[in-house]
Amino acid sequence: MDNLDSYKKNQFAKQIVFVFILFLSSFSAYAKNGMERKQLFDNDWKFILRDVSDAKANDFNVALWRRLDLPHDWSIEGRVNPKNPTKGAGGYFPAGIGWYRKTFQAPDAWKAEKIAIYFEGVYMNSEVFINGKSLGVHPYGYTSFSYDLTPYLNFGKENVIAVRVDNSQHVNSRWYSGSGIYRHVWMMVTNPVHVAQWGTAITTPVVSPKKATVEVKTLVKNETSSTQSIVVKAILWNNSSKIVGNGQVKVELLANSEKEITQAINVSNPLLWTPETPYLYQAQIQVLKDKKVLDDTKTNFGIRSIKFTAENGFQLNGETMKINGGCVHHENGCLGSAAFDRAEKRKIELLKAGGFNAVRTSHNPPSEAFLDACDRLGLLVMDESFDCWKVGKNNNDYSKYFNQWWQRDLDAMVLRDRNHPSVFMWSIGNEIPERGDHSAIETAKMLSCEIKKIDTVRPITSAIVNNGKDWSKFDTLMAVHDVAGYNYNLWSAPDDHKRVLSRIIVHTESYPKDAFTNWKLVQENNYVIGDFVWTAIDYLGEAGIGRTYYSGETPGENWDNDMFPIHAAYCGDIDLIGWRKPISHYRSMLYNDNEKLYMAVREPAPEPLEIKETWWSVYPTWESWTWPGFEGKTIQVEVYSKYPKVRLYQDNKLIGEQATARDQQFKATFAVPYSIGQLKAVGVENGKEMESTILQTAGDAAKIKLTADRKEILANGQDLSYITVEITDKDGIIQPNAANRLQFKIDGPGVIAGVDNANIKDTDSYVGNSRKAWKGRALVVIKSMHDVGEIKLSVTSNGLEERSIIVKSTQK
């Protein structure tokens, strides 16, 4: 036993030494001269919103240009206006042409390195210049791209990056796109012998509870004029900073060439990635020559297996899993399309809290921060590439660029995103206009073949809609996909299955109101892997498709009509400020067991009017028992329940008891005469009252309540705190009819990044220091600056006492 203990101690000591040597060698490779391989390049840009001739020139005077940090979306800073060219599709926001410039030093230490600039996303038609030299044009606003700066830099001197962004040709999007450099920018500094951009590919071909095989492919580039004898090391770390596997390969790399190296590394007793247990590992890839580290990269990955069959549906790590998915667009409400890391993470937190286990990135590749959050928090991703192919849906959409750019953009998505364990499917398109033609089959084959050159593990789908009842006409098109994507027509799946037994089906879009019907089809048919509702979160643009309206008003979705002042969709389970609508609680109950009882009230219509719905709306229901003007009139109260029965009490008097089992769609509706007081819904099992939920009539607005999602943020100029503002009565009950004008004042090292209230008819600016409450709520987003200290937000409103809240900005 003593010898064994001694052996273990020696092995542990050797591992510590090995880790320390790795750290020192990695650090020494880049720490000298302050160099890092990937350097954030977001700070201290200059911007102007107009086209400027000669703005690319180094000596151009930008004294009057605005100074800002990225990410930046200039559209959200403007006012919605029916004259704006984005029209209802883009939420009536402004667009146009803008220029960005940044001056930076290129240290002499960079002379021996390869220098590139990497843009995660620019919307759209960007042209990048370095010291007046055009590096290229990138039309698509959603894919990442980079340029080699090395030949054009002035070492030891100032250099100027200039970026022209052209979002002036409309309509180019069916939803709010935003405008500008809305994702991160990075400076990449590498040795001429290095791992290629997106050059690491990690798969897990063998997965079991006892052992997993991790296959690491590394594309190494030699951008020198001589042959290089190198060693490529792969070290796998767990999240406790312990090595769980490693390997190395000697490589002879010819001058100006590249080579892919494959290493298979076994990991014992792996911790598997799932949405419930999103465990991550990290692969460290080092390129060494004569024991000196030339390059050092780190890539997070998860160990998990995926399998799709008609017999067992989707299986994660060998277990069948039904998908409760939601579609989302890329924007972040009042922040527009600006992809701050915290905004992207909060979006995933909202989806998880809403009961979703998957998300579809409609209809474009998301930000890197979005996928990182999905990996860490546990949310499966259908990663989608395009909204159209060769035939467009608008005059200036991606169809103009498809033939020339599809391969580069598709490769960019798959190469960048392939190591994310959250990504479990690729989607190559959405409601393609030419879907009924043979050309669509050929295009789908082309796109699928391109993906499979890079990734043979994940299945490929696209979202297909059928305007008729006969799906057989799409059989040939669906056959070139691994999984058939149905938009809004899951009811046809059973008949289609009889015709094509091998077909695996995913409901890529569904109407929110069809939650139970689609859940039932998903549960009862193994070949249907799940449902993605349109949408999980409200979004700007596509104005009013999820609205409700009164009889006598303009009916329907009105694709071609002016819907102003409506400028957002309002079809999300979660609204623009993050509040879960009742439909969110109902859908989550269908798929999950963490919530078993919920109560809401159907909004009464003022007689003789009726409330009308669109295809994407649900009847408006609210967590409210405050309906002045409806005293004595019957109001419908809905109770959602996973208990066999529910009881409803009004002012402690039993109104009735109803079954809420599967046959009742887990829902009961009670007709209740409205009066000021209290409603209480109770879940009943075996005759016993198990839990309850209460709605209480609110009194007059008396207080302002402030709640921060985070009371400490980083002083990095990008971190965010979301402050929910609620108007309550004197007892703290939210006043759902409050529409007070709120004034916001901030002190300390922070700024107000956005304000909102979820009212899609409110035309106030999303960037400002004032907003009305809607349904008793509003939202203020605080962004840090680069200094530490206390950020104080003060909120005032006429007739209400001022309230303030402190958020600390730290360097931690």
Side-chain angles (χ1 to χ4, degrees), residues 42-48 62-70 72 77 100-102 783 786:
D42 284 350
N43 296 337
D44 202 22
W45 287 73
K46 292 292 187 72
F47 170 74
I48 192 168
V62 294
L64 298 180
W65 287 27
R66 175 182 165 195
R67 181 178 175 179
L68 53 76
D69 294 342
L70 306 177
H72 174 240
E77 298 173 341
Y100 297 84
R101 281 172 57 105
K102 180 178 169 79
K783 182 167 72 76
H786 297 277

Side-chain angles (χ1 to χ4, degrees), residues 695-710:
L695 292 177
Q696 178 76 44
T697 304
D700 293 338
K703 297 180 181 179
I704 298 172
K705 180 183 177 183
L706 305 179
T707 307
D709 70 334
R710 300 162 74 226

Side-chain angles (χ1 to χ4, degrees), residues 221-246:
K221 299 184 74 170
N222 175 14
E223 297 189 75
T224 74
S225 57
S226 60
T227 298
Q228 300 291 324
S229 299
I230 59 173
V231 173
V232 178
K233 281 187 177 181
I235 307 106
L236 307 184
W237 303 82
N238 67 16
N239 65 5
S240 300
S241 299
K242 293 183 179 179
I243 295 173
V244 296
N246 60 79

Side-chain angles (χ1 to χ4, degrees), residues 361-420:
T361 66
S362 321
H363 303 290
N364 48 263
S367 72
E368 293 184 26
F370 181 95
L371 292 179
D372 288 342
C374 290
D375 290 345
R376 294 185 181 280
L377 298 178
L379 192 71
L380 292 164
V381 179
M382 180 189 290
D383 203 347
E384 191 156 85
S385 55
F386 309 122
D387 187 44
C388 61
W389 297 341
K390 297 179 181 180
V391 178
K393 300 174 183 178
N394 288 295
N395 290 336
N396 292 290
D397 62 18
Y398 187 72
S399 62
K400 293 175 62 174
Y401 313 105
F402 181 85
N403 287 334
Q404 183 178 355
W405 281 90
W406 72 265
Q407 186 174 22
R408 280 174 283 186
D409 287 328
L410 192 64
D411 286 357
M413 178 184 81
V414 179
L415 288 169
R416 190 197 69 170
D417 299 349
R418 59 183 168 175
N419 295 319
H420 289 277

